[in-house]
Amino acid sequence: KMLNWVCRWFRDSRAATAVEFALVAVPFTYLLIGIIEMSIMFAASANLAYATNEASRIIRTGQAQQAVGDPEDMFAARLCDGVKILLDCSRLQYEVIAMNDFSDFPTYTTQYDDEGNLVTQGFDPGGSSDVVLIRVGYRYPFMVPIIGNLLSDGHGMSRLLLSTVVMQNEPYDIMEEAGNI
C-alpha cells in the first residue's frame, strides 16, 4: 500500500506548476531587481556625463570666470542642477585644472584616496583660450548585495562613476572687447 501511494505521488502532476514556480521565482525576482539596479546605475552615469558637459559650458564661455560671485560655487550649482534627479549633490567630487596644452592631459592622472574616492587637485578654470580638464566623480552605492559585490570597484558595495571633459575655453576676452567697440 505504501509503495502504491509513493508511485501515485510521483505521477501526480497537479501541483507541478506551483513547485516549478517556487523553484524559479526567487532567482527570477533577484535577476529582475538586479537588472533594475544596473539600469539605474547606467542612467546615473549618463546623467553625470550630461551634467558635467553642461557645467563645463559656463567655464568654456567664461561665464564662471567673469561672474560677480565665486566661479567654483557657480560651477557646483550648475553641476548639482544637472544631477539632482538621480544623484546626491553632497557626494559629488570634482576637479577643474587649467593645462598648458591638450598634450598635457596624460600628465594629469586621476588620483584616488584609500576608499577609492577622487582626490581633487583644485579648482582652476583658467582664462581665455586656456585648455581645461574637468573631472567629476560620484560614488554610486548598490542596494542589491550580489550585484554590488559583482560590480563594485573593491570599496564596499559601491562604484565610482567618473566623467571627464577636456576643452579649450573660448576667447571670451576678445569677444568682450569687440562688444565694447
Side-chain angles (χ1 to χ4, degrees):
K1 236 178 183 198
M2 180 70 151
L3 184 60
N4 288 340
W5 180 81
V6 170
C7 289
R8 272 192 324 227
W9 185 74
F10 274 110
R11 282 183 267 162
D12 190 4
S13 63
R14 287 181 287 178
T17 305
V19 171
E20 289 170 358
F21 179 74
L23 293 173
V24 174
V26 173
F28 176 74
T29 304
Y30 206 75
L31 179 67
L32 190 62
I33 291 170
I35 290 170
I36 292 169
E37 171 127 46
M38 286 182 60
S39 299
I40 292 171
M41 182 192 73
F42 286 127
S45 180
N47 185 242
L48 182 67
Y50 169 78
T52 303
N53 285 329
E54 287 298 308
S56 69
R57 185 180 311 259
I58 65 169
I59 292 175
R60 184 179 322 128
T61 60
Q63 293 174 40
Q65 294 90 323
Q66 296 174 335
V68 176
D70 184 22
E72 185 172 358
D73 289 342
M74 189 175 183
F75 174 80
R78 180 68 64 94
L79 189 61
C80 186
D81 285 345
V83 300
K84 65 184 172 185
I85 293 172
L86 288 175
L87 306 175
D88 178 12
C89 291
S90 66
R91 297 176 57 196
L92 286 172
Q93 309 153 4
Y94 59 86
E95 62 183 354
V96 177
I97 304 166
M99 301 185 301
N100 295 326
D101 198 303
F102 284 105
S103 62
D104 289 345
F105 177 69
T107 62
Y108 291 97
T109 58
T110 310
Q111 297 177 15
Y112 304 100
D113 64 12
D114 292 338
E115 285 83 40
N117 295 315
L118 180 70
V119 174
T120 182
Q121 296 181 32
F123 185 88
D124 179 10
S128 177
S129 300
D130 283 351
V131 176
V132 179
L133 164 69
I134 299 172
R135 275 194 197 106
V136 180
Y138 181 82
R139 181 140 301 278
Y140 181 83
F142 290 103
M143 294 173 270
V144 180
I146 290 179
I147 301 298
N149 290 333
L150 289 173
L151 297 179
S152 73
D153 54 12
H155 298 92
M157 280 195 10
S158 64
R159 179 175 197 83
L160 182 66
L161 304 178
L162 195 62
S163 178
T164 304
V165 173
V166 179
M167 64 185 184
Q168 183 171 12
N169 289 343
E170 294 177 0
Y172 53 82
D173 59 349
I174 295 171
M175 288 185 268
E176 186 178 279
E177 291 173 11
N180 291 335
I181 295 177

